[in-house]
Amino acid sequence: MRVGATDLPVLKPFRAGPIAPSGLAAPLLLSAGLIAGAAIVFAGSLALAQATGPATRDSAVTILWRWAPLIFQGFLFNLLISFLSMALGTAVGVLFGIGQVSPSAALRKPAWAATQFFRNAPWLVLLFYAMFLLPFEIRLGPISIAFPAWIKAIIGLALPVAANVSEIVRGGIRSIPSGQWESAESLAFSRRQTMWMIILPQAFKRMIPPWMNLYAILTMATTLISVVGIQDGLTVTRAALVAESRPELMLPMYLLLLLMFFAYCYPIARLTMALERRFNVKG
């Protein structure tokens, strides 16, 4: 050992590390910056509405405070539509996705055709078809079951969701190396056993990030139901503006609804990115 040298870390000279944020700090700073920026823009729009509004009527803050609970209720209805549409679309999409990798052409071709058709159709057009082609009630003998517009909207939004989930399932299954199938076959596993016990458990974690991303897109697309007259957050916001007849409130009111969607969808997007890094899923 050389005289004067040591391996003890406490005796080594201090070297300052880089000040730049790294690891978890950078995403947190970015998120904080986005939230602060959104808050500043919202406060600025509210201040502008307050300054340009008539002095003899209620202030912009008072009006916004009065309508915010109703707008939030409409936003919650958007979330309900997104939950139910995603559940229905996922159930149908999983069947389509497994059908697309079936060795039977009688299953594979119809599943592929349905997936491609609904995946490449405009969401709003499918929503209109569901609204106007589905009946208003279903009669089962003497029993009549109502079929309200919001259920039709769920079906209309579930169709493109099912097609996209089908592609996610197909891609997840195809991403598993073929050696897994061959190994299972050599161990006398049937195709069904191989699919449910070996392939799908491995492919599932690869399906989660794109599935979550699709859900975030669906949540933002639920505002389309306002076009067909369903009382969602966008419809309530528009009704509030008509009732107040205050054009200067348009910016803060729509920003309030926008911030609700942002506060809900942004964490989903961050979690999706974190899961992609954890599962090492490359798009």
Side-chain angles (χ1 to χ4, degrees):
M1 182 176 178
R2 185 163 54 88
V3 178
T6 178
D7 291 333
L8 296 176
V10 69
L11 297 179
K12 288 184 177 180
F14 173 75
R15 293 181 180 178
I19 300 177
S22 60
L24 188 61
L28 287 177
L29 287 175
L30 179 62
S31 301
L34 280 174
I35 294 171
I40 291 172
V41 171
F42 178 69
S45 68
L46 199 58
L48 181 63
Q50 183 74 29
T52 57
T56 57
R57 299 183 62 181
D58 291 340
S59 66
V61 176
T62 303
I63 295 174
L64 204 65
W65 184 257
R66 184 162 61 225
W67 283 98
L70 290 176
I71 295 175
F72 185 66
Q73 288 180 12
F75 169 71
L76 291 180
F77 188 70
N78 282 90
L79 296 188
L80 176 65
I81 294 291
S82 70
F83 291 149
L84 298 177
S85 299
M86 196 68 195
L88 179 61
T90 300
V92 177
V94 168
L95 296 178
F96 281 174
I98 294 176
Q100 283 200 88
V101 297
S102 172
S104 171
L107 292 176
R108 188 177 63 253
K109 290 183 178 179
W112 177 85
T115 298
Q116 296 304 316
F117 179 78
F118 290 119
R119 187 165 179 255
N120 295 286
W123 290 35
L124 185 57
V125 175
L126 292 176
L127 187 59
F128 270 112
Y129 270 113
M131 295 298 298
F132 297 114
L133 292 184
L134 293 176
F136 291 98
E137 62 179 13
I138 299 176
R139 298 191 66 84
L140 299 175
I143 302 174
S144 178
I145 302 174
F147 214 60
W150 63 273
I151 293 183
K152 296 181 185 179
I154 290 171
I155 295 175
L157 291 175
L159 293 175
V161 170
N164 284 279
V165 170
S166 174
E167 283 296 274
I168 292 171
V169 172
R170 184 193 63 80
I173 293 173
R174 292 294 189 197
S175 68
I176 304 301
S178 60
Q180 300 278 341
W181 290 93
E182 297 165 359
S183 300
E185 187 177 0
S186 67
L187 295 174
F189 278 78
S190 66
R191 180 176 177 82
R192 179 177 299 178
Q193 289 174 326
T194 304
M195 178 66 78
W196 290 102
M197 299 172 63
I198 298 175
I199 301 301
L200 283 180
Q202 296 182 74
F204 179 71
K205 67 179 185 180
R206 304 186 181 194
M207 300 175 193
I208 293 177
W211 183 86
M212 292 176 60
N213 190 40
L214 176 62
Y215 173 68
I217 294 173
L218 168 66
T219 302
M220 292 181 281
T222 54
T223 52
L224 291 174
I225 64 176
S226 66
V227 179
V228 292
I230 298 176
Q231 297 290 322
D232 73 327
L234 188 60
T235 307
V236 174
T237 304
R238 194 160 50 226
L241 288 170
V242 172
E244 296 293 340
S245 295
R246 299 275 295 273
E248 74 276 6
L249 292 174
M250 181 180 295
L251 187 58
M253 277 201 172
Y254 279 122
L255 268 177
L256 177 63
L257 181 62
L258 182 65
L259 290 178
M260 291 179 186
F261 277 96
F262 175 77
Y264 184 76
C265 293
Y266 182 69
I268 297 176
R270 299 300 309 177
L271 181 59
T272 301
M273 295 171 64
L275 289 176
E276 286 178 346
R277 287 193 296 270
R278 179 177 179 182
F279 297 149
N280 195 21
V281 179
K282 298 179 180 179

